[in-house]
Amino acid sequence: MNSVTKTGKVYLIGAGPGDPELLTRKAERILKEADIILYDALVSEGIKELFNKKAKLIDVGKRADNHTYPQAEINQMLVDFAIDGYNVARIKGGDPYVFGRGGEEAEELLKNSISVEVVPGISSAIAAPAYAGIPVTHREYSSSLTVITGHEDPTKGESALNFKALAKMQGTIVILMGIKRLKDNVDALISGGKSPDTPVAIIEKGTMPDQRLTTGTLGSIVSIAAERKIEAPAVIVIGDVVRLSGVLGKK
């Protein structure tokens, strides 16, 4: 690592959905040059192979209820390393600003006068469905796309999601990090007025060689998911565009 006296810079990098070939050229360059790399659980092994061999690597991944480091400590590490003069790559699955807490990290860095640059990544919200043959928008099926988290901050007390409003929308709904609360979210949509016959797809390990697609309806997907032992990471797609997976998903 470089021993320098000037303040370093932090890069908030999106790793994309998993397939290393979907990583941006800019992200790859920074990862090969960074002094310190903090990486999340969803960063694939293929992308880790691109890391600077001389860099200090820190696993800050969050897996279900097991967090390697609390978010406040991650924020402080980024600040401290930059103050010490290191260029830091903070790499996350998908895009850092799509349910990746990149905004919180950027705020903390700027509050401490640390230079920060965001390197966007392809979100699994669009990539995983695409690899499964599901276009999230389509002129005949869906003119809107709504992406929500299936795992809200438990400290908020009250959900910020209006499931009655979501149930009335005719477009596509994509739920990220929603496997653990699949039944709760499905029940909320049906209670809000969404038809139990609405098509649903769950894509596990999207864009990776072992990607798996499961389809059903709002009324059946919970039991199907249990039967197939679906696990995270997975993307849930709700809407008529799911019907296209049988056509566009064929190889």
Side-chain angles (χ1 to χ4, degrees), residues 151-165:
H151 185 73
E152 289 186 272
D153 182 351
T155 64
K156 288 195 301 187
E158 186 175 331
S159 174
L161 297 172
N162 186 336
F163 279 95
K164 286 186 178 180

Side-chain angles (χ1 to χ4, degrees), residues 1-8 33-36 52 54-56 80-87:
M1 294 186 294
N2 296 325
S3 295
V4 291
T5 55
K6 66 178 182 179
T7 302
E33 298 173 352
D35 301 313
I36 299 174
N52 180 0
K54 297 181 180 179
K56 178 177 181 178
D80 291 344
F81 286 139
I83 288 175
D84 287 342
Y86 297 111
N87 286 325

Side-chain angles (χ1 to χ4, degrees), residues 34-55:
D35 301 313
I36 299 174
I37 301 174
L38 284 73
Y39 62 94
D40 275 354
L42 293 181
V43 176
S44 68
E45 293 301 318
I47 291 175
K48 290 177 187 176
E49 291 176 3
L50 301 173
F51 290 177
N52 180 0
K53 298 299 185 289
K54 297 181 180 179

Side-chain angles (χ1 to χ4, degrees), residues 44-239:
S44 68
E45 293 301 318
I47 291 175
K48 290 177 187 176
E49 291 176 3
L50 301 173
F51 290 177
N52 180 0
K53 298 299 185 289
K54 297 181 180 179
K56 178 177 181 178
L57 307 182
I58 304 176
D59 179 356
V60 294
K62 300 178 178 68
R63 299 164 182 84
D65 296 323
N66 179 22
H67 293 188
T68 310
Y69 293 93
Q71 186 62 48
E73 192 169 338
I74 295 172
N75 293 351
Q76 193 59 51
M77 279 195 283
L78 295 174
V79 171
D80 291 344
F81 286 139
I83 288 175
D84 287 342
Y86 297 111
N87 286 325
V88 183
R90 170 69 173 108
I91 182 165
K92 308 162 176 287
D95 180 271
Y97 279 1
V98 180
F99 302 123
R101 306 190 75 167
E104 298 171 42
E105 293 171 355
E107 284 183 298
E108 187 67 22
L109 290 162
L110 293 174
K111 187 171 73 176
N112 286 274
S113 302
I114 304 298
S115 179
V116 57
E117 182 175 344
V118 178
V119 182
I122 299 173
S123 173
S124 60
I126 57 174
Y131 268 52
I134 303 171
V136 289
T137 64
H138 188 288
R139 279 202 308 176
E140 294 182 17
Y141 296 95
S142 173
S143 297
S144 68
L145 168 64
T146 304
V147 182
I148 67 172
T149 176
H151 185 73
E152 289 186 272
D153 182 351
T155 64
K156 288 195 301 187
E158 186 175 331
S159 174
L161 297 172
N162 186 336
F163 279 95
K164 286 186 178 180
L166 287 169
K168 293 177 182 177
M169 298 182 68
Q170 299 302 308
T172 306
I173 300 172
V174 171
I175 304 178
L176 302 181
M177 302 174 291
I179 296 305
K180 186 175 181 180
R181 299 189 69 246
L182 177 63
K183 186 178 187 307
D184 293 336
N185 291 325
V186 165
D187 288 348
L189 285 169
I190 293 175
S191 296
K194 201 77 171 171
S195 170
D197 295 327
T198 304
V200 180
I202 301 178
I203 305 113
E204 296 171 87
K205 299 180 180 178
T207 78
M208 300 301 288
D210 53 349
Q211 172 178 302
R212 185 170 71 146
L213 172 67
T214 298
T215 59
T217 64
L218 276 180
S220 67
I221 196 63
V222 173
S223 60
I224 293 173
E227 181 182 331
R228 287 173 63 83
K229 295 180 171 58
I230 287 176
E231 298 180 346
V235 173
I236 303 165
V237 185
I238 302 169

